[in-house]
Amino acid sequence: MTQLGEIAALGLEGLAEAIRQRQLSSLEVTRVAIDGLQRHGRRLGYVAGMDPEQALADAAAADRRLAATGSVGPLHGVPLAHKDMFYRAGRVSACGSRICADQVRDVTATVLTRLDAAGALDVARLNMVEFALGTTGHNEITGSPGNPWNPAFITGGSSSGSGGAVAAGLLPAALGSDTGGSVRLPATCCGLVGLKPSYGRVSRHGAMVLSWTLDHVGILTRNVRDCALMLQAIAGADPADSTCSARAVPDCLATIEKGVEGLRIGVERDYFYQGVEPAVARHVEASLEVYRALGAEIVPVTMPGLERANPLTTLIIAVEGASNHAVWLRERREEYGKQTLGRLLAGLTYPATHYLDALKLRHALLQSFEAAFQQADLIHSPVLPFQVPTIAESDLAANPGFSEYVVATGHCTRPYNYLGLPAISVPAGFGANGLPCGFQLAGRPFSEPQLLRAARAFERETASTGRLPALD
Amino acid sequence: MAAEQRREPGRSEITRCWLLRWHRLDLAEAVLGEPTASAERIGALAREGAASLPPDSEPTQFDALYRRLAVDDDATW
């Protein structure tokens, strides 16, 4: 019988190939995934819901289709699962909340439709922070998932179940959403590759809205090539999402192995390294040395005004979130968790002029990045400024200091939501506490091929991905 | 009337009054806590930052620059 570890070692690309070549059946792979989610995923808090019988029926149908046609999509028969905020018509999406716990959706998210078309199976709904409003993974309603490397530690959030389940090897890939770091933070906490694509690269139709200015659909995988494969499947124009770009989707896998010779990597130190723990800074600096050894040039850059991005992201999330939640804030207030309620209520207190100021200031900060991109192709930085904390020590709920803590965790990630620039979190080893650590690369709009290429070069050189935690 | 009582009402107080109109004293109390204090600090940052912008600035300028900065499809480094 095929074991979870053997399947996990194949990754998404290898698993899809093994199914396509009929070395493995979708049914046996899906059985292993379901069993893993039942045994480990539920215990660790990753599963929001699943229908094993339907998943196995879908897998059997995928096997029959492969046998009948021989020609299938690039992810045919591979079991995936996603953050519980991508709607599927006829199915509940609870969004990590009590309010939506029984809400059956009447649309299917474009990203799910595209993964369906690629042949992937959708076998479960994965836990998340309530309404995606949180960076640590805590959820006082559904429970706080444990990091698969040590369940006493956070997974990061808000795509907590996606990060945990993929890192544990239960699934090869999962979708998350990233409004202030909610894909890249779980990626760095769990030792995964986490991509927040450019604003407009991936449709958000049928995904829960938190903040329409800052929301991005993102990807969590255990290696860089799998991340590219997922992006190819979900990216591209969508008439159902007016913010989705019509730009053609380049073949990221075609250039991913080309290395970083001649790449200019920009390093901004006044903001991105402010308050970064020395243990984290050492890992991040070491990754720069790897790039230097691979032929990249490390270039110091400055970006005046960068310090405004994080607090103004807080403002935009709060105001747009409060607008979206206005009815429930009036009528179902007692059903929210305390921190979620506190952050949404804060959104009611900003004058409209401050919200518009925050939107106008994006242009000024993007001009700073424009200047930096004259000198550098990509910007390198930490992801999480401190080592992964335990669930207990970061469980601030709505107690004093929680606002500052949220802002601190998003220090390095939120500027890229504010500006819509693509950014990727890349695993860079393990800290003294035994938990993963990563660094971040960001680029110009629609530079995903370059980001993935640079991330892949580091991964190939250091073998920084691929390790699996012991689950028992 | 004491000076403290005569001062202009702050945003927190306005919000509190507004919430009280909903008969939600519990909400009004909640909103006067840390999130509101944080919101006032952040709001001040937005106001100060915007003071440096030309008077004819508008949010759509960002979108134009974003499109201009986008990489060419065949870009290498």
Side-chain angles (χ1 to χ4, degrees):
Chain A
M1 183 183 163
T2 312
Q3 299 297 309
L4 184 62
E6 295 170 38
I7 289 176
L10 293 172
L12 178 64
E13 192 178 28
L15 195 51
E17 180 65 12
I19 292 171
R20 197 160 40 243
Q21 298 300 328
R22 303 189 206 186
Q23 294 157 354
L24 291 171
S25 71
S26 176
L27 187 59
E28 68 181 304
V29 169
T30 302
R31 266 204 193 103
V32 172
I34 294 289
D35 181 57
L37 289 165
Q38 300 269 38
R39 286 178 57 210
H40 305 294
R42 287 196 186 278
R43 173 175 59 85
L44 291 164
Y46 305 150
V47 179
M50 60 192 294
D51 182 345
E53 283 184 22
Q54 183 63 53
L56 294 172
D58 291 345
D63 286 332
R64 287 195 299 275
R65 200 155 49 248
L66 177 62
T69 67
S71 173
V72 291
L75 303 178
H76 186 84
V78 178
L80 302 179
H82 312 291
K83 189 173 186 176
D84 191 18
M85 52 161 279
F86 296 104
Y87 306 158
R88 186 176 287 282
R91 188 176 78 172
V92 165
S93 288
C95 302
S97 72
R98 192 175 285 127
I99 289 173
C100 297
D102 301 314
Q103 193 162 341
V104 177
R105 306 297 174 167
D106 56 6
V107 297
T108 299
T110 295
V111 286
L112 294 189
T113 303
R114 291 195 174 157
L115 288 172
D116 293 346
L121 308 182
D122 184 2
V123 303
R125 300 180 288 116
L126 300 178
N127 204 359
M128 58 184 281
V129 174
E130 185 184 15
F131 293 119
L133 257 174
T135 52
T136 56
H138 289 86
N139 185 325
E140 68 181 86
I141 292 163
T142 63
S144 305
N147 194 301
W149 296 98
N150 183 337
F153 287 76
I154 65 166
T155 54
S158 61
S159 308
S160 49
S162 299
V166 175
L170 308 179
L171 301 160
L175 296 180
S177 70
D178 192 317
T179 303
S182 286
V183 160
R184 288 161 289 157
L185 291 168
T188 202
C189 291
C190 294
L192 297 173
V193 176
L195 175 69
K196 181 199 81 67
S198 310
Y199 189 86
R201 180 75 293 174
V202 176
S203 169
R204 302 177 298 177
H205 169 70
M208 184 206 79
V209 179
L210 170 58
S211 161
W212 53 87
T213 300
L214 306 169
D215 289 344
H216 298 69
V217 174
I219 299 161
L220 292 133
T221 59
R222 286 194 303 279
N223 68 61
V224 180
R225 289 186 63 91
D226 286 355
C227 188
L229 194 57
M230 283 290 284
L231 183 66
Q232 294 298 141
I234 64 172
D238 178 14
D241 178 356
S242 64
T243 66
C244 197
S245 171
R247 290 172 66 96
V249 180
D251 183 354
C252 294
L253 281 166
T255 54
I256 202 166
E257 302 291 347
K258 288 191 171 177
V260 293
E261 183 80 39
L263 171 71
R264 299 172 303 162
I265 296 181
V267 180
E268 194 283 342
R269 292 190 181 279
D270 292 338
Y271 175 81
F272 280 125
Y273 281 79
Q274 188 184 81
V276 173
E277 274 184 12
V280 173
R282 274 196 298 278
H283 271 280
V284 178
E285 296 281 2
S287 67
L288 281 173
E289 290 311 310
V290 171
Y291 277 119
R292 204 190 303 271
L294 289 171
E297 182 187 355
I298 310 302
V299 184
V301 295
T302 56
M303 285 177 264
L306 191 51
E307 69 284 354
R308 285 202 193 104
N310 189 358
L312 296 185
T313 300
T314 299
L315 189 162
I316 293 170
I317 292 173
V319 172
E320 295 184 0
S323 171
N324 282 324
H325 284 258
V327 173
W328 289 336
L329 284 174
R330 276 198 300 273
E331 298 173 0
R332 304 181 70 173
R333 182 208 45 103
E334 64 286 351
E335 295 178 60
Y336 284 100
K338 291 186 190 68
Q339 188 180 114
T340 310
L341 180 64
R343 291 184 66 187
L344 291 173
L345 286 175
L348 297 172
T349 72
Y350 289 102
T353 48
H354 289 180
Y355 171 68
L356 289 170
D357 288 343
L359 292 180
K360 286 196 291 188
L361 281 162
R362 292 199 303 162
H363 178 252
L365 184 55
L366 193 57
Q367 284 179 315
S368 284
F369 271 82
E370 181 181 26
F373 285 134
Q374 301 297 319
Q375 304 166 268
D377 302 298
L378 303 178
I379 307 296
H380 178 285
S381 74
V383 188
L384 182 67
F386 39 84
Q387 293 193 83
V388 180
T390 64
I391 292 173
E393 71 187 316
S394 55
D395 187 10
L396 294 179
N399 297 324
F402 91 81
S403 303
E404 282 73 14
Y405 195 77
V406 169
V407 167
T409 50
H411 181 79
C412 297
T413 52
R414 285 170 147 206
Y416 297 118
N417 297 81
Y418 185 61
L419 298 178
L421 301 176
I424 190 167
S425 175
V426 185
F430 289 78
N433 61 1
L435 274 292
C437 184
F439 65 90
Q440 178 175 236
L441 294 169
R444 299 158 76 104
F446 302 100
S447 64
E448 285 83 1
Q450 289 87 343
L451 289 182
L452 289 160
R453 179 175 158 187
R456 173 63 185 144
F458 180 86
E459 173 187 63
R460 199 171 49 210
E461 179 66 15
T462 62
S464 65
T465 60
R467 272 182 63 183
L468 286 168
L471 293 179
D472 289 315
Chain B
M1 188 180 285
E4 179 64 20
Q5 289 169 299
R6 281 201 307 272
R7 66 185 167 80
E8 285 289 306
R11 186 151 29 84
S12 297
E13 286 139 309
I14 293 169
T15 304
R16 184 169 182 270
C17 292
W18 181 56
L19 288 167
L20 286 172
R21 284 180 57 199
W22 289 352
H23 306 287
R24 301 304 290 266
L25 181 61
D26 50 349
L27 274 185
E29 293 304 322
V31 87
L32 283 170
E34 188 190 350
T36 301
S38 172
E40 292 191 352
R41 285 195 300 277
I42 292 168
L45 275 176
R47 191 175 61 243
E48 289 160 15
S52 65
L53 297 175
D56 56 352
S57 296
E58 53 182 271
T60 52
Q61 288 175 301
F62 170 81
D63 303 323
L65 180 55
Y66 186 82
R67 280 193 295 272
R68 186 160 63 74
L69 269 184
V71 294
D72 298 330
D73 287 337
D74 57 352
T76 58
W77 35 69

